[in-house]
Amino acid sequence: STKSSLSLWSHFRGALQIIDFDFRYVYVNEVCAKQGRKTREELVGRTMMEVYPGIESTAMYSVLQNCLRERTSAEIENEFTYPDGKTAWFSLTIAPVSEGILILSLDITPHKQTTLELQTQLLRIEALKEIDLAILGTTDLSLALNTILEKVTSNLKVDAGAILLQNRYTNILEFAAGRGFRSREIEKTQLRVGKGQAGLAALEQKTIFLADLRNADPPFIRSHLVAAEGFVSYGVTPLTAKGKLIGVLEIFHRTKLHPGQSWFNFFHALAGQTSIAIESGQIFQELQRASLELALAYDATLEGWAKGLELRDRETEGHTQRVTDMTAVLAKMARISDSELIHIRRGAMLHDIGKLGVPDSVLLKPGKLSDDEWAIMRQHPTFAYEWLYPIEYLRPCLAIPHSHHEKWDGTGYPQGLKGEQIPLAARIFAVVDVWDALTSDRPYRQAWSQEQALEYIQKQAGAHFDPNVTRLFLQMVNDDESYKTG
Ligand code: C2E
Ligand code: SIN
Ligand code: SIN
Ligand code: FE
Ligand code: FE
């Protein structure tokens, strides 16, 4: 029956073979022998295991074995590795015949490569997108670099990756992040630009790839690294931002790599993403540092202003600090958010900055003010508004300096605001300010006792002061003896 079935197949253009129950080649056509890079003579009479040692451990072998045992058919795609390491893809159709099984095989390598290439490209685009998200999602540069290296090693299929950054002052490439290393050798990396493979890649802004770094020319300087890690293949590509060098991206592999053009394309794309991450991370860090310095400088300036004001006003020492701290406590009790608190503190510190526009003769007058003098004095919140408004940084603090003399019943100044028209921060501050003013000596009167002051504030709830804020204030003073300064 073999003879007759074979004659049927004599015009078949594909590869055809029959193996018996011991995996011995019974029949092999010319195309099939060529596919396996063997002659028919080398195959027929021998077993698959003799011809292709190690084949027993492949998935294909198990399928063949199953077909032989169960007398069933199967169709599989199989990647075949030649002794030189090259691979090819075959589509196998397996059918039981009396001698054993018949195998038709079709070389689908070009088709398969296209499909795999497409899949790889998709995965790589996905990886670039994920890196993008990682960069956007964190302001922590080392976190972003670690995410990038994870994508680099998994998508380029390499054992390890490292990012070296150029020290701007010394021009030395220093370790910044690494992944896939067994030892800590990589962290010791210190390479002058121009020196070694990485230094050369940095200097000439080109990618260098060494399939075997034991034969590198110039030699690979970090021999301890190679020895400790057992690396064989190596690649390095420069990281640049706006044409300027910022570092290098390195990959290491413990067996020989055979990268193709698309691998290099992706290596470069990853380097581009890495550069962006580093650049934006560094810019962010610098911005943060700059704005912190600015904020510190501003706050120091504000404190300076407030001190100058106290001196001129001959107010009790520490008035500004006291009202600022009390206002912050009361604001917290009124559930004002932490982010707003900083503005409230600054506002409280600057509450009477407008008094700088009031002449000494009025400000320091020992007795009652005349109508004209009052008219000037009542301008101090407006002065504050006019001075602070143009300073963008202080605009969110304006409520207190501008509105701390407004009254709940609408009889205050400068705008005659009523009830909740008055910013909450200013309603809070007003109570604290009057409390501190009443319990302090003034050029125009002696300090009141705390009992008198508390009684007065209680009486003004709903008239001068917001009743709710008054309630919170009394609660605060009663809760904490330390506020009663006498
Ligand atoms: P200040 O002395 O810091 O007083 C702040 C606020 O505390 C006052 O706002 C007022 O609401 C309250 N306050 C202070 N002292 C008394 C007081 O003896 N009795 C009562 N009932 N409340 C008091 P106000 O009235 O808008 O005054 C604003 C600023 O005008 C005062 O700040 C002070 O610098 C000045 N001022 C007010 N009255 C006089 C005065 O009779 N003579 C002088 N030289 N300055 C005055
Ligand atoms: C490197 O190539 O990264 C280090 C320099 C060298 O050893 O050649
Ligand atoms: C203060 O004593 O500085 C408060 C007076 C005011 O707010 O006008
Ligand atoms: Fe004031
Ligand atoms: Fe004050």
Side-chain angles (χ1 to χ4, degrees), residues 313 315 319 351-352 355 380 404-405 413 429 433 437 442:
D313 212 354
E315 288 204 89
H319 163 73
H351 71 276
D352 267 342
K355 281 184 179 172
H380 80 271
H404 68 283
H405 288 297
Y413 60 94
F429 179 80
D433 188 36
R442 282 288 185 267

Side-chain angles (χ1 to χ4, degrees), residues 191 195-198 218-222 234 250:
L191 286 172
K195 218 172 154 230
Q197 309 292 337
F220 196 86
I221 297 169
R222 289 167 290 172
Y234 171 76
E250 298 187 294

Side-chain angles (χ1 to χ4, degrees), residues 393-408:
Y393 164 80
L394 294 177
R395 213 170 286 162
C397 323
L398 270 176
I400 291 174
H402 189 213
S403 305
H404 68 283
H405 288 297
E406 301 289 353
K407 292 185 178 175
W408 183 256

Side-chain angles (χ1 to χ4, degrees), residues 53-105:
I55 202 159
E56 305 97 303
S57 56
T58 65
M60 181 195 68
Y61 182 87
S62 329
V63 174
L64 299 184
Q65 197 171 40
N66 194 55
C67 290
L68 281 167
R69 269 199 212 128
E70 311 293 330
R71 312 307 296 143
T72 53
S73 305
E75 278 196 45
I76 56 166
E77 284 185 359
N78 181 50
E79 188 181 23
F80 184 80
T81 306
Y82 293 105
D84 68 355
K86 290 235 170 67
T87 64
W89 279 90
F90 296 101
S91 161
L92 306 182
T93 305
I94 305 148
V97 290
S98 54
E99 294 88 347
I101 48 173
L102 172 132
I103 306 168
L104 302 177
S105 50

Side-chain angles (χ1 to χ4, degrees), residues 164 189 191 195-199 210 216 218-223 225-226 234 236 248 250 252:
L164 311 181
T189 301
L191 286 172
K195 218 172 154 230
Q197 309 292 337
L210 302 171
F220 196 86
I221 297 169
R222 289 167 290 172
S223 51
L225 174 65
V226 178
Y234 171 76
V236 57
V248 296
E250 298 187 294
F252 300 85

Side-chain angles (χ1 to χ4, degrees), residues 110-144:
H111 160 78
K112 197 70 191 175
Q113 274 171 347
T114 313
T115 312
L116 287 177
E117 188 66 22
L118 271 174
Q119 274 172 358
T120 310
Q121 294 294 356
L122 280 176
L123 283 175
R124 287 174 178 175
I125 289 168
E126 207 51 46
L128 292 178
K129 257 176 32 198
E130 281 170 32
I131 290 174
D132 240 11
L133 289 177
I135 298 169
L136 288 176
T138 177
T139 50
D140 180 341
L141 181 59
S142 70
L143 211 69

